[in-house]
Structures are given as structure tokens and as C-alpha cells.
Amino acid sequence: MKIVVIGGTGLIGSKTVERLRKKGHDVLAAAPNTGVNTLTGEGVAEAVAGAQVVIDLANSPSFEDKAVLEFFRTAGRNLLGAEAAARVKHHIALSVVGTERLQDSGYFRGKHAQEELIRSSGIPYTIVHSTQFYEFMGSIAQSGASGQTVHLPSALFQPIASDDVADVMADVALAPPMNRMIEIAGPDRVRMSEAVAQFLKATNDPRTPVADPHALYFGIELNDSTLVPGDNPRLGRMRYDDWLKQAARKN
């Protein structure tokens, strides 16, 4: 069947496209650099024409509060409108575990708005809430960096490998719509400060990590339940220690 992956050239998108093509499906990797722009609407109707499934992995190019809300609202309306006209059978979106608990953040207000559009669209859907990717450890460290010190929240989280996320996205694309949200997470629940400290050590980063329960995560103070999934999430296979060994070899 024809499957369109919006954001199909990004980290998760490229891996998802590869998996679905290996299974013999006609997969379009859609992105602004391939002529498909959900924000402006360019190429969207043509991309989804004849598609049975659309996977939305696009992210806002700006994290400024107003811009990110405008992106998810406008891109969502453009994409879902085109899908309705094309009679797409299954809309899939990747979002974030804890989105509903992170509404003090403009970014997560944008993600919440995206999800509300999906639920009210009338198109059968599945929303996948994922925990943070292992590959974002460097970005988390940078967000708390001040000189040679990195202040990090000590709250629990349960990060996941991007390969495991792509496995789930491909599986969901080939399954019937669930018309609800599901959660995915890595196998290890750890403190963010400890996980990032391990990453800094593995990658020979000389900065000093400091665990701070009041350190902000992209502008939000966390507690031990903010970023962890609820009961019975689907768990990825790659353990954090194994991923760190790979990251160390690449460094």
C-alpha cells in the first residue's frame, strides 16, 4: 500500500521509511526538501493522493511559543484537510509522553493542539506518545549548560532508542487504527541527571554535571511522574548502556 511519511527525511522518518520499504510498501518520504511542506500546504494534496496511511513526524522549525503553536495548528489543518479529501484510512502522529503534563511549555501546548486536531478530524488515527530519544542526550546537556557546568533535573525518565521508535511507527502503520493514544518507552527508568552524566563521560565531554531537582527541562520543573509513561507502555529493546557503548565508539 501507499504510505506517506511526513518528516520522512529526519531521524525517525528515515528509519521508518527504510523499514516500510523493506516490507514492500510504496513509501513516500515527504519533507520541505522533497517539495512537501505542511506549513505552507505546498505539495501536500499531491503527496497524500492515493495513500492509505499517513505518518506525521514533522517538527516545528522554531521553538518560540507563538511560532510552534502556529506550526502545529496550521500544518495539522493542512495535512488533515488533504487526507480527508484523499480518504486516507489511518493517520498516525508521533508525540511525547507527558504532553498533557507539560502545558506550561509553549512547545507542548503546540503538540497538544496537534493532538486535538487529530482527534476531532474524523479520520481514523493512532497517536504514539514516546519518551525522549537516547539521541537527544547531547541536546538535554546543552540546554542546562553554563560554562563548564551542566545543571540537570534529577527527575526520573525512561528514554528510548530511535531505532526502537521507528520499529513501533512501522508496526503501527501496518496495523488497524486504534483511535487512541499509546505510549512507548525504553527498558530502563533512570534519573535524567544520571543518564546525561553517563553520556558526558562516554563521549569524553569534560563538563561537570550537577543534579538539581529545580533545574528546568526546556523551561519546566519536573517531578518523578512528569516524563514517565503510565501502565503497560510498549518497551524498546535497546538498553541505555548498550546505546552508550555505540555512542562512545562514534565519538
Side-chain angles (χ1 to χ4, degrees):
M1 63 182 168
K2 180 181 177 181
I3 301 171
V4 177
V5 181
I6 304 294
T9 60
L11 174 65
I12 305 300
S14 58
K15 293 174 183 285
T16 303
V17 167
E18 178 186 21
R19 283 157 173 73
L20 290 169
R21 283 178 176 164
K22 282 183 177 178
K23 293 179 182 291
H25 297 282
D26 174 16
V27 186
L28 174 64
N33 60 6
T34 68
V36 181
N37 189 320
T38 54
L39 183 59
T40 65
E42 177 193 1
V44 175
E46 294 83 357
V48 303
Q52 286 77 44
V53 177
V54 174
I55 307 173
D56 187 6
L57 303 175
N59 207 355
S60 173
S62 169
F63 281 58
E64 189 273 324
D65 285 3
K66 185 177 179 181
V68 76
L69 183 60
E70 176 67 16
F71 174 84
F72 283 118
R73 280 180 173 167
T74 302
R77 289 180 182 128
N78 287 338
L79 182 57
L80 291 164
E83 289 180 38
R87 298 186 178 182
V88 168
K89 301 293 191 294
H90 190 184
H91 178 93
I92 303 162
L94 180 62
S95 193
V96 184
V97 163
T99 289
E100 67 283 2
R101 298 185 290 273
L102 293 161
Q103 291 301 293
D104 286 342
S105 159
Y107 179 81
F108 291 101
R109 288 195 296 273
K111 292 299 290 182
H112 181 71
Q114 177 193 32
E115 293 181 24
E116 288 301 298
L117 285 170
I118 293 167
R119 292 187 180 98
S120 63
S121 69
I123 299 170
Y125 71 90
T126 305
I127 296 171
V128 179
H129 271 199
S130 174
T131 54
Q132 290 66 30
F133 311 150
Y134 294 155
E135 288 82 357
F136 283 175
M137 291 300 166
S139 296
I140 294 172
Q142 191 58 38
S143 73
S146 178
Q148 288 302 300
T149 303
V150 182
H151 286 263
L152 299 158
S154 53
L156 292 170
F157 76 150
Q158 200 167 332
I160 186 171
S162 61
D163 280 327
D164 287 330
V165 177
D167 285 342
V168 171
M169 300 312 293
D171 288 349
V172 170
L174 302 180
M178 298 183 185
N179 293 311
R180 63 181 178 89
M181 179 269 287
I182 64 170
E183 292 185 315
I184 62 174
D188 303 308
R189 186 169 292 192
V190 295
R191 298 209 171 272
M192 185 178 289
S193 51
E194 295 172 5
V196 178
Q198 288 177 276
F199 173 79
L200 295 175
K201 182 178 180 181
T203 56
N204 298 312
D205 190 316
R207 292 177 293 180
T208 302
V210 176
D212 179 354
H214 301 296
L216 300 181
Y217 174 76
F218 297 103
I220 301 173
E221 188 169 314
L222 306 174
N223 60 47
D224 280 349
S225 62
T226 310
L227 294 180
V228 297
D231 296 335
N232 302 313
R234 174 168 167 171
L235 298 181
R237 290 173 292 194
M238 180 172 281
R239 306 196 75 90
Y240 185 55
D241 285 349
D242 293 330
W243 180 84
L244 277 177
K245 291 172 186 173
Q246 292 184 8
R249 286 196 295 269
K250 292 177 182 177
N251 189 52

